[in-house]
Amino acid sequence: MYYSQFLSRVCMPHAVLLQPKESWNSSKSNDEIIVGHCTKVPRNSNLEKLRSGYLFPEISRHESEHLQKNPDASLIRLGIGDTTQPIPDTITLAMAEQVRGLSTIQGYRGYGAEQGNMALRKAIAGKFYQDMGIKANEIFVSDGAQCDISRLQMLLGSNVTVAVQDPSFPAYIDSSVVVGQAGELEEETGKYGNIIYMNCGPENDFFPDLSTIPRTDIIFLCSPNNPTGHAASWQQLKQLVEFAEANGSIIVHDSAYAAYIRDGSPRSIFAIPGAKEVAIEISSFSKFAGFTGVRLGWTVVPEELLYSNGFPVIKDFNRIVCTCFNGASNIAQAGGLACLSTDGYHDLCKVIDYYMENAKILVDGFTSLGWKVYGGKNAPYIWVHFPGMSSWNVFAEILKKTNIVTVPRRGFGPAGEEYIRVSAFGQRQNILEAIRRLNSFL
Amino acid sequence: MYYSQFLSRVCMPHAVLLQPKESWNSSKSNDEIIVGHCTKVPRNSNLEKLRSGYLFPEISRHESEHLQKNPDASLIRLGIGDTTQPIPDTITLAMAEQVRGLSTIQGYRGYGAEQGNMALRKAIAGKFYQDMGIKANEIFVSDGAQCDISRLQMLLGSNVTVAVQDPSFPAYIDSSVVVGQAGELEEETGKYGNIIYMNCGPENDFFPDLSTIPRTDIIFLCSPNNPTGHAASWQQLKQLVEFAEANGSIIVHDSAYAAYIRDGSPRSIFAIPGAKEVAIEISSFSKFAGFTGVRLGWTVVPEELLYSNGFPVIKDFNRIVCTCFNGASNIAQAGGLACLSTDGYHDLCKVIDYYMENAKILVDGFTSLGWKVYGGKNAPYIWVHFPGMSSWNVFAEILKKTNIVTVPRRGFGPAGEEYIRVSAFGQRQNILEAIRRLNSFL
């Protein structure tokens, strides 16, 4: 209901009802008359700019409409990148123990540190940043990457310029608009003013051609990329770090899918020498551990990262975390610690292997149908090319003919069409069934 | 370490190291020379404005310093309002069951609705808003009130004027500064420009004298109040709703302590007729259910609440929640649902009774020592008056002489001194021991 087009409204005090209707009904035919009280509080102009309809709720709406028309359809959801496999016992046992402890005097815990439990921060530093010089106090535990993207935007404020990959996960741009970094939406191009869109396609190996990108304060880069599935190579990330150094920019590197890298590409931007002076990294337990509903992530802000006036970014981020956040759930944090135990990590790797086997099945399936396929080798996303076609049309046709939900390219940014993203999260039998349906109906 | 005074820094490229030290050391004696890379990203000027040191980390720092000087001191923490009693079994059993279910195909859940599970939203509407006309879709489940205050500030943006109680919970003002609603901090008064401070003391029954308050877009009101412990009466809240109606303002009502009300005062602003057209309510499971570490809260945005242009606030808040948040942990939400079951609610009421018995002991104890005491009747906070004294001095003296941690008035806003807040959260034996120490040493 929230995603319907907003009809402009005219606020009328109750008293106006007493007048003839003609006298207060405006000339605009699609005005919706609000009879009642309007406050005098102005709507946030940043939100006014924001394109209506966040992508994933939009996809859900299409799903629901399809199901209303076809109540017996057996949907296979390869759209929203949502984990489907059970969390290994080692991890849920640790969380259950933490939960039950909350019913005892000894085990009860109230507020924890806003930055996260030190044991977990240390474990993250040890497991993911060994030999990169990242310290536990540079790791801020969060309730997930999307939430931390917004907190980072609150940190940065409205007075910075931003570059974003196109295609990209919509939260970067939408949160930029919310905090006032963006100009108006140009209806013709679908682009916001003041945002630099860095095109990433097969022509540039899915990595921005930095020779064509103007300097911005902030560069968002997601690797392995959502949606293209491309993992930036050592060479590509090294170029980016040098570009940021030369321009005095800050890279916000989203490594939420790092655990899916298979080919030896860097799993963290901090594997690149010099990155600590130019980068922040956002990461997550969501796709690594099936914690999409449990909610746990982290952000790394190195002490070496400084604003132009020499002030350490970590001090301001710490302040944002203490003021705007109160720490991730202590139950989720206990789970996070179990994920990084020897047994937990081993079990999770098997789940990731399972999804990557799904990815291979999807890559092979689409390829054998004659479509050019990218991604799926270092990420749980397959990026399928349908030359010359509108991506929403491809999305709609696949949904209509096969009851499979995907995500159209257009949902990830304005620059292109012709692609859909297919998620490798799902039960194996559904992935196999999806390929069967595609073979039969496309 | 983050709270130390920031020394102004001068960024120097590596190359400068090759020059004689004298040539790059600036004339300012307290400059800290950063040798290395500074980005060219400007520090967010809103964060530059923000007074250094968020209150509760400041208190922790004082605690730590005291413990360093007195390693054998047996501290009693009546400072930070943190719950201490175990969570009833009925509730942790429900959470443990949810957790263990995540290890099964049938019980596994990934992303939930950003707004929260509908069953929980319905239960909240039914338990706390019966007969007030609040619908489940107007309730947004969150990871806690402090987090939702920030999300509300992102919603409102920088172009609104704000009034805040003085004293008040520091997150309202700090988050106002972060999003750019405030002017500069005036060192002399301790007040930020553009913020209206509404004094609340015994002279006005701890409620703003609305005849002296200029119109603002937003009015933050916390009832029962943190820190004064005052629960606004029916008459007071009715006046406030009428004031907001007349001025076209939006009230942001924080009812995080509503469960502690004993005298029949309204537990929700929506108990007041007309409030749905002028108010948002933030609330929490933290103090109601001992969920300070589990993280769960909610915010009510009625459909009737409209911006000056007639646009419904709920649509923008929904957009903020979908863009900047990804839902509360599904484990915490299962716990929330159990809190609202007949058994869970009954058990929680007993825990609240226990804290309120603590409050009575503290009220009686301070009163018998001859101090004037407010609060503690409808809230777990005691507001003790030390006429003519600096509140940080009272805080320091009590800490030094009795090893009891409290919170000084000054931490809650600039307008006053003379008070400390004493929390009634704590084990009974600690509360009794605190009174013994106060009797012996003050």
Side-chain angles (χ1 to χ4, degrees):
Chain A
M1 60 170 287
Y2 299 124
Y3 312 104
S4 61
Q5 166 120 46
F6 172 62
L7 302 171
S8 67
R9 292 179 167 206
V10 179
C11 256
M12 307 300 286
H14 288 284
V16 178
L17 266 175
L18 302 172
Q19 300 172 16
K21 203 175 175 186
E22 292 77 351
S23 73
W24 53 266
N25 199 345
S26 107
S27 59
K28 284 172 80 179
S29 62
N30 68 344
D31 274 0
E32 185 179 334
I33 304 298
I34 301 293
V35 178
H37 177 89
C38 277
T39 66
K40 292 179 186 155
V41 177
R43 186 179 177 206
N44 184 342
S45 59
N46 297 329
L47 285 163
E48 232 152 46
K49 276 180 200 165
L50 194 56
R51 193 197 313 259
S52 68
Y54 186 69
L55 173 62
F56 296 110
E58 277 289 336
I59 303 276
S60 298
R61 194 174 57 78
H62 281 275
E63 250 185 60
S64 305
E65 280 177 15
H66 180 75
L67 281 177
Q68 268 185 338
K69 282 187 211 151
N70 309 278
D72 300 329
S74 157
L75 273 193
I76 298 180
R77 292 185 177 81
L78 307 179
I80 294 170
D82 195 4
T83 46
T84 53
Q85 293 312 104
I87 298 172
D89 278 326
T90 36
I91 296 157
T92 60
L93 281 168
M95 287 195 276
E97 196 181 329
Q98 170 83 12
V99 164
R100 292 294 290 136
L102 296 175
S103 279
T104 66
I105 291 273
Q106 301 74 27
Y108 182 75
R109 295 286 179 279
Y111 289 121
E114 291 91 341
Q115 304 88 350
N117 297 336
M118 192 42 88
L120 178 57
R121 300 169 82 189
K122 283 182 181 164
I124 291 170
K127 180 63 83 179
F128 298 114
Y129 299 102
Q130 216 172 13
D131 304 324
M132 298 182 200
I134 296 294
K135 299 188 289 290
N137 72 299
E138 295 170 314
I139 288 163
F140 295 81
V141 176
S142 76
D143 60 333
Q146 176 157 318
C147 312
D148 256 1
I149 291 168
S150 279
R151 280 187 285 266
L152 277 176
Q153 297 283 24
M154 284 188 98
L155 171 87
L156 297 166
S158 59
N159 202 25
V160 295
T161 52
V162 168
V164 182
Q165 286 166 290
D166 189 357
S168 73
F169 180 53
Y172 310 125
I173 289 178
D174 285 356
S175 61
S176 277
V177 177
V178 167
V179 300
Q181 295 161 356
E184 295 295 331
L185 179 65
E186 295 161 27
E187 286 299 339
E188 202 170 314
T189 61
K191 295 184 177 182
Y192 290 98
N194 294 344
I195 303 240
I196 300 298
Y197 293 79
M198 305 184 294
N199 194 47
C200 293
E203 69 284 1
N204 56 15
D205 194 18
F206 292 98
F207 196 82
D209 176 358
L210 298 173
S211 70
T212 67
I213 306 294
R215 180 203 175 271
T216 55
D217 292 314
I218 308 300
I219 303 166
F220 283 99
L221 191 101
C222 177
S223 174
N225 189 264
N226 174 7
T228 69
H230 176 77
S233 68
W234 287 89
Q235 186 56 30
Q236 286 174 331
L237 279 187
K238 186 165 170 287
Q239 274 172 16
L240 183 70
V241 166
E242 287 166 1
F243 181 76
E245 261 171 10
N247 284 327
S249 305
I250 294 177
I251 300 162
V252 177
H253 184 252
D254 183 341
S255 67
Y257 296 91
Y260 291 81
I261 290 178
R262 287 288 175 273
D263 73 353
S265 296
R267 289 189 170 191
S268 165
I269 188 109
F270 299 116
I272 309 295
K276 288 165 73 182
E277 295 180 337
V278 298
I280 289 169
E281 186 159 275
I282 300 175
S283 204
S284 178
F285 284 83
S286 287
K287 308 303 162 74
F288 160 56
F291 271 27
T292 45
V294 172
R295 310 303 312 140
L296 195 68
W298 73 89
T299 288
V300 183
V301 184
E303 287 178 348
E304 289 88 338
L305 185 69
L306 308 174
Y307 291 115
S308 56
N309 67 352
F311 193 87
V313 176
I314 189 174
K315 288 196 182 189
D316 274 355
F317 191 65
N318 185 70
R319 190 63 198 281
I320 289 286
V321 165
C322 289
T323 304
C324 305
F325 183 54
N326 234 327
S329 174
N330 50 18
I331 305 165
Q333 291 192 68
L337 204 52
C339 290
L340 303 180
S341 69
T342 307
D343 287 352
Y345 192 74
H346 173 262
D347 293 346
L348 288 177
C349 287
K350 286 196 283 187
V351 179
I352 292 168
D353 287 346
Y354 176 92
Y355 290 134
M356 289 308 283
E357 181 63 25
N358 284 351
K360 188 175 181 309
I361 293 168
L362 288 168
V363 167
D364 292 349
F366 278 101
T367 305
S368 73
L369 280 164
W371 303 110
K372 179 82 180 155
V373 172
Y374 302 94
K377 300 214 165 20
N378 291 306
Y381 295 125
I382 325 300
W383 192 235
V384 192
H385 195 194
F386 295 82
M389 294 174 71
S390 137
S391 60
W392 273 111
N393 284 355
V394 175
F395 164 87
E397 197 177 326
I398 291 178
L399 181 59
K400 191 173 158 194
K401 289 192 179 157
T402 69
N403 294 313
I404 298 172
V405 183
T406 61
V407 188
R409 161 72 175 87
R410 194 69 194 208
F412 295 108
E417 290 289 352
E418 304 188 349
Y419 288 87
I420 56 161
R421 188 191 80 177
V422 182
S423 162
F425 296 114
Q427 303 294 333
R428 179 66 44 79
Q429 70 269 27
N430 289 337
I431 301 290
L432 294 169
E433 169 64 15
I435 295 297
R436 267 192 295 274
R437 291 188 196 172
L438 289 164
N439 269 313
S440 306
F441 299 109
L442 276 201
Chain B
M1 59 170 284
Y2 300 124
Y3 312 105
S4 62
Q5 167 120 47
F6 172 64
L7 302 171
S8 68
R9 292 178 168 205
V10 179
C11 257
M12 307 298 286
H14 289 284
V16 178
L17 266 174
L18 302 172
Q19 301 171 15
K21 203 175 176 184
E22 292 79 350
S23 74
W24 52 268
N25 199 345
S26 107
S27 59
K28 285 171 77 179
S29 62
N30 67 346
D31 274 359
E32 186 179 333
I33 305 296
I34 301 293
V35 178
H37 177 87
C38 277
T39 65
K40 291 178 187 155
V41 177
R43 186 179 178 207
N44 183 342
S45 59
N46 296 330
L47 285 163
E48 231 152 46
K49 276 181 199 165
L50 195 57
R51 193 197 314 259
S52 68
Y54 186 68
L55 173 63
F56 296 110
E58 277 289 336
I59 302 275
S60 298
R61 193 174 59 77
H62 280 275
E63 251 185 60
S64 304
E65 280 178 15
H66 180 74
L67 281 176
Q68 269 186 335
K69 281 186 211 153
N70 309 278
D72 299 330
S74 157
L75 273 193
I76 299 179
R77 291 184 177 82
L78 307 179
I80 295 171
D82 194 4
T83 46
T84 53
Q85 294 312 105
I87 298 172
D89 278 327
T90 36
I91 296 158
T92 59
L93 281 168
M95 286 196 277
E97 196 182 327
Q98 169 83 13
V99 164
R100 291 295 289 136
L102 296 175
S103 280
T104 65
I105 292 272
Q106 301 73 28
Y108 182 74
R109 295 286 178 280
Y111 289 121
E114 292 90 342
Q115 304 88 348
N117 298 336
M118 192 42 87
L120 178 57
R121 299 168 82 189
K122 283 182 180 164
I124 291 170
K127 181 61 86 181
F128 298 114
Y129 299 101
Q130 215 173 13
D131 303 325
M132 297 181 201
I134 296 292
K135 298 187 288 290
N137 72 299
E138 295 170 314
I139 289 163
F140 295 81
V141 175
S142 76
D143 61 332
Q146 176 156 320
C147 313
D148 256 1
I149 291 169
S150 279
R151 280 187 285 266
L152 276 176
Q153 297 282 24
M154 284 187 99
L155 171 87
L156 297 167
S158 59
N159 201 23
V160 294
T161 54
V162 168
V164 182
Q165 286 167 290
D166 189 356
S168 72
F169 179 54
Y172 310 124
I173 289 178
D174 285 355
S175 60
S176 278
V177 177
V178 167
V179 299
Q181 294 160 357
E184 294 296 331
L185 179 65
E186 295 162 27
E187 287 298 340
E188 201 170 314
T189 60
K191 294 184 178 185
Y192 291 98
N194 294 346
I195 303 243
I196 300 298
Y197 293 81
M198 304 185 294
N199 194 47
C200 293
E203 70 283 2
N204 55 15
D205 194 19
F206 292 99
F207 196 82
D209 176 357
L210 298 174
S211 70
T212 67
I213 306 294
R215 180 200 176 273
T216 56
D217 292 315
I218 308 300
I219 304 166
F220 282 99
L221 192 101
C222 177
S223 174
N225 189 264
N226 174 7
T228 69
H230 176 77
S233 67
W234 287 90
Q235 186 56 30
Q236 286 174 330
L237 280 188
K238 187 166 169 287
Q239 274 172 16
L240 183 70
V241 166
E242 287 166 2
F243 181 77
E245 261 171 10
N247 285 327
S249 305
I250 294 177
I251 301 162
V252 177
H253 185 252
D254 183 340
S255 66
Y257 296 91
Y260 291 82
I261 290 178
R262 287 290 176 273
D263 72 353
S265 296
R267 289 188 170 192
S268 165
I269 189 108
F270 299 116
I272 308 295
K276 287 165 73 183
E277 295 179 336
V278 297
I280 289 168
E281 186 159 274
I282 300 173
S283 203
S284 178
F285 284 83
S286 288
K287 309 304 162 74
F288 160 57
F291 271 28
T292 46
V294 173
R295 311 304 311 140
L296 195 68
W298 72 90
T299 288
V300 183
V301 184
E303 286 177 349
E304 288 88 338
L305 186 69
L306 308 174
Y307 291 115
S308 56
N309 67 352
F311 194 85
V313 176
I314 189 174
K315 289 195 182 190
D316 274 355
F317 190 64
N318 185 70
R319 189 64 200 278
I320 289 285
V321 165
C322 289
T323 305
C324 306
F325 183 54
N326 235 327
S329 174
N330 51 17
I331 305 165
Q333 292 193 67
L337 204 52
C339 291
L340 303 179
S341 69
T342 307
D343 287 352
Y345 192 75
H346 174 261
D347 293 347
L348 288 176
C349 288
K350 286 197 283 187
V351 179
I352 292 168
D353 287 346
Y354 176 93
Y355 289 135
M356 289 309 283
E357 182 63 24
N358 284 352
K360 188 175 181 311
I361 293 167
L362 289 167
V363 167
D364 293 349
F366 278 100
T367 305
S368 74
L369 279 163
W371 303 110
K372 179 80 180 156
V373 172
Y374 302 94
K377 300 213 166 17
N378 291 306
Y381 295 127
I382 326 297
W383 193 236
V384 192
H385 194 193
F386 294 84
M389 295 173 72
S390 137
S391 60
W392 274 109
N393 285 354
V394 175
F395 165 87
E397 199 178 326
I398 291 176
L399 180 59
K400 190 173 160 195
K401 288 192 178 158
T402 70
N403 295 312
I404 298 171
V405 183
T406 60
V407 188
R409 162 71 175 89
R410 192 69 194 209
F412 295 108
E417 290 287 354
E418 303 189 349
Y419 288 86
I420 56 162
R421 188 192 79 176
V422 183
S423 162
F425 295 114
Q427 303 293 333
R428 180 66 43 79
Q429 70 269 25
N430 289 338
I431 300 291
L432 293 169
E433 169 63 15
I435 294 297
R436 268 192 294 275
R437 291 189 195 170
L438 289 164
N439 269 311
S440 306
F441 298 109
L442 277 201

